[in-house]
Amino acid sequence: MLKLPEIPEAVRLKAPIHQREYLVGGELRTWDGEVSEVYSTLSDTQPYVPTLLGSIPTMGEPEALDALDAALQAFGKGKGEWPTMKVRDRIGCMENFVRRMETQRETVVNLLMWEIGKSRADSEKEFDRTIEYIYDTIAEYKDLDRASAKFTKHDGVYAHIRRGPLGVVLCLGPYNYPLNETFALLIPAIIMGNTTVFKPAKHGVLLITPLLEAFRDSFPKGVVNILFGRGRAVATPIMQTGKVDVLALIGNSKSANALQDQHPKSNRLRLVLGLEAKNPGIILPDADLDLTVQECLTGTLAFNGQRCTALKILYVHEAVREAFLERFVKEVDQLPFGNPWDSGVKLTPLPEADKPDYIQELIDDALAKGARILNPRGGERCENFIWPAVLYPVTKDMRVYQEEQFGPVIPVVSFTDMDQPLDDMAESNYGQQVSLFGRDAYTLAPLIDALVNLVCRVNLNSACQRGPDVYPFTGRKDSAQSTLSVHDALRSFSIRTFVAFKDNALNNETVEALLEAKRSNFVSTEYLL
Ligand code: G3H
């Protein structure tokens, strides 16, 4: 049985946060209805009792429709202040917001640790990466705007082409990156002139509350509306109105499909989705084993494997299977387990109370079908954690082969024919990334050429990851729709729209007058520095 680490007095929360305010139409409204308690699985009580962190409103259809209405009014059928605002002024609002957000670093990082059990180093990284993402988005938008500050002419027709907002965006993020991934949707959606309704993830919800006032004060009313409650209760009625223009969701394809199906006008609805994956690590006979072991440890177990980009299955060539696994399982069993604030910690308690039991089910199913646990500590339990089990040999009939585990368990398959992992990937419902470990150019070349057509990122001798955030983050099949990166997200949340006119004296005079009058924020050649 794993020992629960003690929680030092210094990191205990002073008092529970009973959040009663929510943001709709530019005001923080007070909720006096039903609430849901928020618990952390971090605890050192004997016997084990989860820690109460606070409570949040359990909202429903009326509040959801109010928030949608506020977003619709702020868009104002295209005439709203925000969608017609000068790019320079929209950027000013975003700069105000990010400066206010920076002041909340310590509070947000602390809540990240308590709510989702992410290590302090990774929680700080999540916060800082999000701030950087916002500044990079501002810089990228300036570039985009500069490139649009001109007229082009073809076949006697002038065009002034820019990117315009799509309308109302419903934004839902995941619990494993409740700040970064949610903001990687919300920030580009806002800055491009859309108006938004946003519901925080099921875990990592209190950490949004220190930012409500900054949202309220930085943007015109109704541009950002923030609700609390269950996705089913608030997102479903919003989708059913048919008035949402973009569903932006990072999470599970089942939730994405269910929500999409509620929208009665499928051609109106654009989708920006980052969904699940089962990224394989493929280890070739000439792989550098020291490096491969380290990358596979990070790939499979960073944040306990709770990453959409995690390596969720390892294909090890028979020629190096023994050598690789011998080193790998030793390293897995030596990983430091503790609370998020413990120095050097790698494995931490899981935020979902039922996750250890689910992982246990996957292990039991694999054992019953012929797999073994290779590491002595594999499957060791306490209430809020289960030690990662390295399972071998894993076969297609096992649940751990079929399901995205999103947690600490590592299935291993061995192979001799390179077509096996390729065929399995082609057959899979997922297509996000792969890690390929090896160095012979003649072996790697045809593999890379095939793999880039099965996934959207081939990581050579490196763990899979989303970052750096300037690179495209996307996937095939059930893994994604649209592309996210600092550059691509601005495009995913906007559409090219333009003013065109035939080259004649009347039009030229009219457009010159428009430019001179500086009354249109769209027809403008102003160069943003
Ligand atoms: O959950 C999926 C995240 O996008 C992974 O991001 O690769 O930076 O951890 P990461």
Side-chain angles (χ1 to χ4, degrees), residues 38 56 115-116 178 200-210 227-229:
V38 177
I56 50 160
E115 287 195 88
I116 63 164
K202 66 175 170 175
H203 303 290
V205 50
L206 293 174
L207 61 90
I208 298 296
T209 63
L227 293 171
F228 299 98

Side-chain angles (χ1 to χ4, degrees), residues 318-333:
E318 195 49 41
V320 281
R321 177 176 57 83
E322 267 186 38
F324 169 78
L325 287 174
E326 192 188 330
R327 292 191 211 186
F328 183 66
V329 297
K330 265 196 204 128
E331 298 273 351
V332 169
D333 276 3

Side-chain angles (χ1 to χ4, degrees), residues 426-444:
E427 207 178 274
S428 158
N429 286 331
Y430 307 118
Q432 190 197 62
Q433 300 188 17
V434 65
S435 289
L436 184 58
F437 297 94
R439 44 189 155 184
D440 173 48
Y442 290 89
T443 313
L444 291 175

Side-chain angles (χ1 to χ4, degrees), residues 70-127:
L72 284 164
Q73 279 190 35
F75 196 70
K77 301 178 186 163
K79 290 185 291 186
E81 180 190 2
W82 188 246
T84 60
M85 192 181 273
K86 269 184 199 286
V87 171
R88 173 193 297 283
D89 296 337
R90 277 213 293 263
I91 286 176
C93 295
M94 192 57 85
E95 285 170 340
N96 281 342
F97 173 74
V98 70
R99 280 195 287 267
R100 292 274 298 268
M101 180 173 162
E102 282 175 287
T103 65
Q104 299 299 320
R105 183 176 190 264
E106 203 185 318
T107 313
V108 174
V109 165
N110 205 33
L111 284 168
L112 265 170
M113 293 193 286
W114 271 103
E115 287 195 88
I116 63 164
K118 190 172 274 190
S119 70
R120 183 187 294 280
D122 285 348
S123 296
E124 288 174 347
K125 192 165 142 205
E126 175 160 356
F127 188 90

